[in-house]
Amino acid sequence: MDLSKNIDLKQQLVADFQATESRLNGEAKTEVHQKRREAMQRFEALGFPTIKHEEWKYSNVNNLVKQAFDFNVKSDFGANDVETLEIPNLQGNVLYFVNGMYNAELSSIVSPESQLQILNFGRAVKEKPELLATYFAHYANYQDEAFTALNTAFAHDGVVVHVPAGKVVEEPIILRFITDARTANAASQPRNLIVVGKNAEVKMAEAFRTIGDNGSFTNVVTEIVVEENANVQYYKVQNETEKAYHIGTTQVIQKDKSHFYAVTVTVNGGFVRNNLNIVLDGQHCESFMYGLYFPNGKQHVDNHTLVDHAKPNSYSNELYKGILKDKSTGVFNGKIFVREYASKTNAYQSCRNVVLSDEASMNTKPQLEIYNDDVKCSHGTTTGKLNDEAIFYMRSRGIPKAEAVTLLMYAFCEDVISQIKIESIREYLSGLIVEKLAQ
């Protein structure tokens, strides 16, 4: 395939699906593959979104869909490469995926199987069919979302995690997705399913990194099921290249008395779209969402969040912050739904941004849809510049201007950074953020 020419990416993907399906043999009859087939039919009907779609009004994927990508790039990424990407003092269950494919040799699972069951998606189709039949593609909306449909159609690799009821996983789960674009425009579509049983607890992180000078495209979907009284901490970190396209959907379903806690940090990426959708399908649930993003150059970062209060007596709180430089663009679209029967809901949302250049732009759209009167809900958004008086004060105390600006920006970020409870990741990110803010 000549990846230097503009092509119709949709046509390529439909042809790839047909070719993959012809090689499946017995797996073609499984319930998982029936979902894949339905999802491909939906993708063909939907096509890629355009700026005429309200949800994609500020995020144009036209350049993405005109490029050719190889979804089967061979990679020699190995132990020596891992050393250059290591996070100091990181301990836990560390799983590596290279161009979307699980790499067992680089991975390390340290928690006992009684606490934690981890399978790559391909094995889970064969060994955990009942688990996939119960949860796979039941929550992520492939009927109306083209990229979710596309990922569902090609759900062959990624990870399936099951934390049994009553288990506390002491070591975090770290999923490291490496896109190796050193030899070609590389693409991958990991599919992850995380099922956390009643009264169970787990911390997990997804980290995305691109290496190489070619283009890349990651289309990832993660479904997280938080059963009754379970507790999940979830972190997503993106540090990709200027030529990287990243579209990610995290779909969460919460049951009674469950607790879900998310932090999403975008350090780098050419075009980034993060969808975080949470359904509080139980009473006395709690959800916390924090986000941080730092686009510069011509980078584009779009965070779409959806919090759906489907049952009474639940709480959600959301804080997203951005710092935009150069000719970068940012988008924040946050929706809160309060359903008719969801009385005693408390839901709060805030988005705050600092724009450091006249050529940078930020588009915000907070939304509330409330169908019950017995609730407490609020949302707000601000976009402005750094405080000149604070800079003047710091300079009058002998701090150079560039350092004063960096300190002020880091202080602006601190109340999100401090929410990262895995110490090694928090310290590593703090260093990356300081480095980026000083550019």
Side-chain angles (χ1 to χ4, degrees):
M1 181 189 300
D2 185 355
L3 300 181
S4 65
K5 295 181 179 178
N6 286 350
I7 58 102
D8 185 326
L9 184 57
K10 180 183 175 183
Q11 263 186 355
Q12 177 196 337
L13 288 162
V14 171
D16 286 353
F17 180 84
Q18 293 169 348
T20 301
E21 191 173 42
S22 68
R23 298 191 295 267
L24 286 178
N25 298 321
E27 189 178 326
K29 298 179 181 179
T30 64
E31 190 168 336
V32 167
H33 190 67
Q34 296 308 309
K35 292 278 188 184
R36 292 185 189 128
R37 186 177 289 132
E38 290 172 16
M40 176 50 69
Q41 290 171 353
R42 288 304 300 154
F43 173 70
E44 288 189 76
L46 292 167
F48 287 108
T50 70
I51 56 174
K52 293 180 180 179
H53 293 77
E54 184 63 28
E55 296 297 308
W56 293 85
K57 183 176 180 180
Y58 300 111
S59 295
N60 193 340
V61 298
N62 191 49
N63 289 335
L64 164 66
V65 303
K66 287 185 177 180
Q67 293 187 52
F69 291 95
D70 190 339
F71 285 79
N72 297 289
V73 171
K74 302 300 180 185
S75 171
D76 59 1
F77 183 91
N80 292 335
D81 299 295
V82 167
E83 289 180 8
T84 66
L85 303 179
E86 275 189 339
I87 298 173
N89 304 313
L90 180 65
Q91 296 180 342
N93 303 284
V94 183
L95 283 71
Y96 277 87
F97 299 82
V98 181
N99 291 344
M101 304 297 290
Y102 175 62
N103 188 313
E105 292 181 3
L106 300 179
S107 301
S108 175
I109 299 174
V110 298
S111 293
E113 192 170 342
S114 60
Q115 276 186 14
L116 178 66
Q117 297 161 15
I118 297 179
L119 294 172
N120 76 299
F121 194 91
R123 275 188 61 194
V125 171
K126 299 173 183 176
E127 298 178 23
K128 294 283 186 179
E130 65 288 336
L131 188 71
L132 292 183
T134 303
Y135 297 109
F136 169 66
H138 282 249
Y139 307 110
N141 180 12
Y142 67 83
Q143 295 294 331
D144 302 308
E145 302 293 340
F147 286 102
T148 301
L150 182 60
N151 175 282
T152 304
F154 285 93
H156 293 282
D157 217 324
V159 69
V160 174
V161 174
H162 182 214
V163 182
K167 300 298 182 180
V168 176
V169 183
E170 296 170 2
E171 298 290 348
I173 304 167
I174 314 296
L175 310 179
R176 301 204 68 183
F177 296 94
I178 309 298
T179 301
D180 185 352
R182 290 179 291 190
T183 61
N185 287 355
S188 63
Q189 301 196 79
R191 181 59 173 250
N192 307 312
L193 173 63
I194 318 296
V195 180
V196 183
K198 292 181 179 180
N199 304 303
E201 295 183 21
V202 69
K203 299 183 185 75
M204 64 169 294
E206 295 179 329
F208 297 86
R209 188 74 178 266
T210 303
I211 59 173
D213 296 326
N214 292 293
S216 68
F217 170 38
T218 300
N219 179 32
V220 58
V221 173
T222 298
E223 292 179 293
I224 303 176
V225 180
V226 190
E227 295 285 7
E228 182 179 342
N229 208 38
N231 189 313
V232 176
Q233 292 181 26
Y234 167 80
Y235 305 99
K236 182 175 183 179
V237 178
Q238 296 158 306
N239 188 17
E240 301 183 85
T241 67
E242 300 291 326
K243 295 182 180 179
Y245 288 86
H246 180 111
I247 295 172
T249 297
T250 303
Q251 183 72 46
V252 182
I253 182 81
Q254 289 186 244
K255 299 301 183 179
D256 287 349
K257 300 179 183 178
S258 61
H259 183 105
F260 182 75
Y261 187 97
V263 184
T264 303
V265 181
T266 304
V267 181
N268 282 299
F271 181 101
V272 176
R273 168 67 173 252
N274 292 315
N275 302 311
L276 175 58
N277 306 319
I278 302 175
V279 180
L280 288 81
D281 191 29
Q283 296 197 50
H284 305 289
C285 297
E286 291 187 346
S287 291
F288 297 85
M289 292 149 284
Y290 300 91
L292 203 54
Y293 41 96
F294 311 91
N296 64 354
K298 295 183 178 179
Q299 293 178 358
H300 177 92
V301 178
D302 178 348
N303 284 288
H304 266 60
T305 66
L306 170 64
V307 183
D308 187 349
H309 286 264
K311 299 287 176 64
N313 301 303
S314 289
Y315 174 88
S316 66
N317 201 337
E318 179 175 8
L319 173 63
Y320 273 67
K321 285 190 165 186
I323 297 175
L324 296 88
K325 301 170 69 174
D326 306 323
K327 297 181 179 180
S328 65
T329 55
V331 180
F332 174 80
N333 188 314
K335 291 183 179 179
I336 297 174
F337 284 113
V338 180
R339 302 294 176 176
E340 181 180 358
Y341 300 106
S343 58
K344 307 296 183 184
T345 288
N346 289 345
Y348 306 99
Q349 179 192 100
S350 178
C351 178
R352 305 172 193 168
N353 303 282
V354 175
V355 178
L356 301 178
S357 164
D358 291 337
E359 295 181 285
S361 64
M362 183 70 204
N363 303 285
T364 60
K365 187 179 179 183
Q367 297 173 266
L368 294 177
E369 289 194 28
I370 302 172
Y371 300 98
N372 187 294
D373 294 332
D374 188 13
V375 301
K376 293 180 181 178
C377 299
S378 69
H379 64 72
T381 178
T382 60
T383 300
K385 296 187 176 183
L386 282 178
N387 188 321
D388 290 334
E389 290 184 6
I391 296 173
F392 176 80
Y393 175 82
M394 295 175 74
R395 294 189 69 189
S396 71
R397 297 299 186 270
I399 301 175
K401 182 178 180 181
E403 187 177 336
V405 169
T406 299
L407 286 170
L408 281 174
M409 290 190 295
Y410 188 84
F412 175 78
C413 301
E414 177 61 24
D415 53 356
V416 175
I417 298 170
S418 64
Q419 302 301 328
I420 300 172
K421 308 302 183 184
I422 301 176
E423 184 177 358
S424 55
I425 294 178
R426 184 178 67 249
E427 292 179 352
Y428 175 71
L429 270 178
S430 293
L432 285 180
I433 289 167
V434 169
E435 183 180 324
K436 177 135 191 195
L437 293 176
Q439 290 178 357

